[in-house]
Amino acid sequence: QSALTQPASVSGSPGQSITISCTGTSSDVGGYDFVSWYQQHPGKAPKLMIYDVSYRPSGVSNRFSGSKSGNTASLTISGLQAEDEADYYCSSYTSSSTRVVFGTGTKVTVL
Amino acid sequence: EMQLVESGGGLVQPGGSLRLSCAASGFTFSTYRMTWVRQTPGKGLEWVSYISSTGAPIYYADSVKGRFTISRDNAKNSLSLQMDSLRAEDTAVYYCARGYYTSALNAFDIWGQGTMVTVSS
């Protein structure tokens, strides 16, 4: 089972919106509404930002939103802030024997 | 405060064994699914294993199947990962994580701080 494909880096200025893509196949992203997104700051554990494609856990800012179209899921961060600078990983359930697959990760830089 | 604390990491030779533990506190451990996720230094996340709240079903990543064994003791609020036949490519920070209440297997809302496992001669 290969990792889901994410861009290595995305950048934006404070206040702008950015979108991170996560591309898989019909066996994972495209086949199930089980896509999650995680934020990870250096030296810290990941934090759940989005689950089941578009739902935010309690306490997560509504500046973060998720969506999916076909085999590609997306995380949009609106009103970009300095604290959003971090690595972001998507994850999907997969029908393969390895039940869960993560994305390759995207480094978000706030200019 | 809901918390997960991993322990048991260290340096081990290829072919050796190590047992990781994860102590849970601040929530009703017995009602939550649990997972192990690892992260190679400077690289991405890799899902390792899953165990339901009751101990079954259990799932493993293909890369560790047959070598790693996940288990839990709900009476002791504890999760374990027995790692045998270790390889250099198993070198990583290992996190235990709590499954979020959604039906998805890949949503984890509470994570430990991680424990480092280094496989090297």
Side-chain angles (χ1 to χ4, degrees):
Chain A
Q1 174 67 49
S2 299
L4 306 174
T5 301
Q6 298 180 232
S9 63
V10 173
S11 62
S13 299
Q16 287 186 330
S17 292
I18 61 170
T19 297
I20 304 168
S21 62
C22 170
T23 301
T25 69
S26 58
S27 296
D28 38 65
V29 174
Y32 307 91
D33 287 335
F34 294 143
V35 176
S36 300
W37 289 90
Y38 296 88
Q39 176 192 66
Q40 187 178 34
H41 287 106
K44 301 294 187 181
K47 176 185 177 183
L48 180 65
M49 306 301 286
I50 295 287
Y51 68 95
D52 293 358
V53 176
S54 60
Y55 293 88
R56 281 187 308 275
S58 174
V60 172
S61 171
N62 59 11
R63 298 186 298 103
F64 292 84
S65 62
S67 62
K68 190 186 82 167
S69 177
N71 295 337
T72 298
S74 299
L75 174 70
T76 297
I77 309 174
S78 59
L80 199 61
Q81 300 180 0
E83 67 207 49
D84 300 332
E85 187 162 290
D87 293 326
Y88 291 82
Y89 294 90
C90 63
S91 172
S92 175
Y93 175 82
T94 169
S95 60
S96 76
S97 54
T98 289
R99 306 300 180 109
V100 176
V101 61
F102 279 96
T104 50
T106 298
K107 181 175 181 60
V108 168
T109 301
V110 181
L111 302 172
Chain B
E1 178 191 7
M2 295 178 289
Q3 193 173 7
L4 295 170
V5 178
E6 302 96 338
S7 61
L11 174 65
V12 61
Q13 292 188 341
S17 298
L18 212 55
R19 186 177 183 87
L20 305 183
S21 296
C22 172
S25 60
F27 63 96
T28 307
F29 178 74
S30 61
T31 64
Y32 285 90
R33 302 165 295 177
M34 298 297 295
T35 286
W36 288 96
V37 175
R38 67 186 181 184
Q39 185 168 32
T40 307
K43 296 193 176 179
L45 300 169
E46 180 185 13
W47 175 81
V48 173
S49 183
Y50 159 97
I51 186 168
S52 76
S53 60
T54 60
I58 285 173
Y59 304 124
Y60 297 98
D62 289 344
S63 57
V64 307
K65 198 172 296 181
R67 301 187 299 120
F68 289 13
T69 304
I70 191 173
S71 61
R72 66 189 296 160
D73 186 336
N74 285 342
K76 296 183 177 179
N77 294 333
S78 178
L79 175 73
S80 295
L81 185 69
Q82 176 66 39
M83 304 186 296
D84 299 319
S85 302
L86 283 162
R87 306 166 180 167
E89 53 264 37
D90 295 319
T91 295
V93 174
Y94 284 74
Y95 295 99
C96 64
R98 187 182 83 169
Y100 198 49
Y101 74 90
T102 170
S103 60
L105 294 182
N106 64 323
F108 318 121
D109 63 337
I110 305 293
W111 294 65
Q113 84 287 353
T115 186
M116 182 70 204
V117 172
T118 303
V119 184
S120 175
S121 54

